[in-house]
Amino acid sequence: MSLKSKTSDVRVKFKDYGFFVPISLVGKTVLAEGVMLKKELTLGQTKHYVEDEGGDPSKVTEPRTDYQMIATGVKVIETK
């Protein structure tokens, strides 16, 4: 899952793959609980993530820093 804010995005993984969230949560506001991590990606990982996001990996020349959350829970707090 990916959470978007006005300033950044956060990739969310689920602790021990213990649960998943439905695609119907797209566009909804959620409250997620867990541990935040700052991860320095390799150039290869960066290209892979850019491709997954629909971008052109051949234009990537430097690795990036990714922020991730290992979620222990997610709660929908707004249902537009």
Side-chain angles (χ1 to χ4, degrees):
M1 179 171 82
S2 180
L3 298 178
K4 297 184 181 292
S5 73
K6 293 179 183 176
T7 57
S8 66
D9 295 346
V10 175
R11 184 178 309 273
V12 179
K13 296 181 179 184
F14 305 102
K15 183 174 170 87
D16 300 326
Y17 295 97
F19 64 98
F20 297 94
V21 295
I23 191 110
S24 61
L25 289 185
V26 171
K28 306 244 187 324
T29 300
V30 299
L31 176 65
E33 182 176 301
V35 176
M36 290 292 296
L37 305 171
K38 179 179 177 181
K39 184 176 178 185
E40 302 296 332
L41 301 177
T42 65
L43 182 58
Q45 290 170 319
T46 301
K47 288 183 178 211
H48 177 77
Y49 284 170
V50 166
E51 185 175 25
D52 283 354
E53 295 162 358
D56 183 357
S58 68
K59 294 183 178 180
V60 177
T61 59
E62 295 184 16
R64 71 180 185 196
T65 301
D66 198 29
Y67 294 91
Q68 299 180 354
M69 172 185 265
I70 306 301
T72 55
V74 176
K75 178 180 178 180
V76 178
I77 58 174
E78 182 183 318
T79 60
K80 294 182 183 177

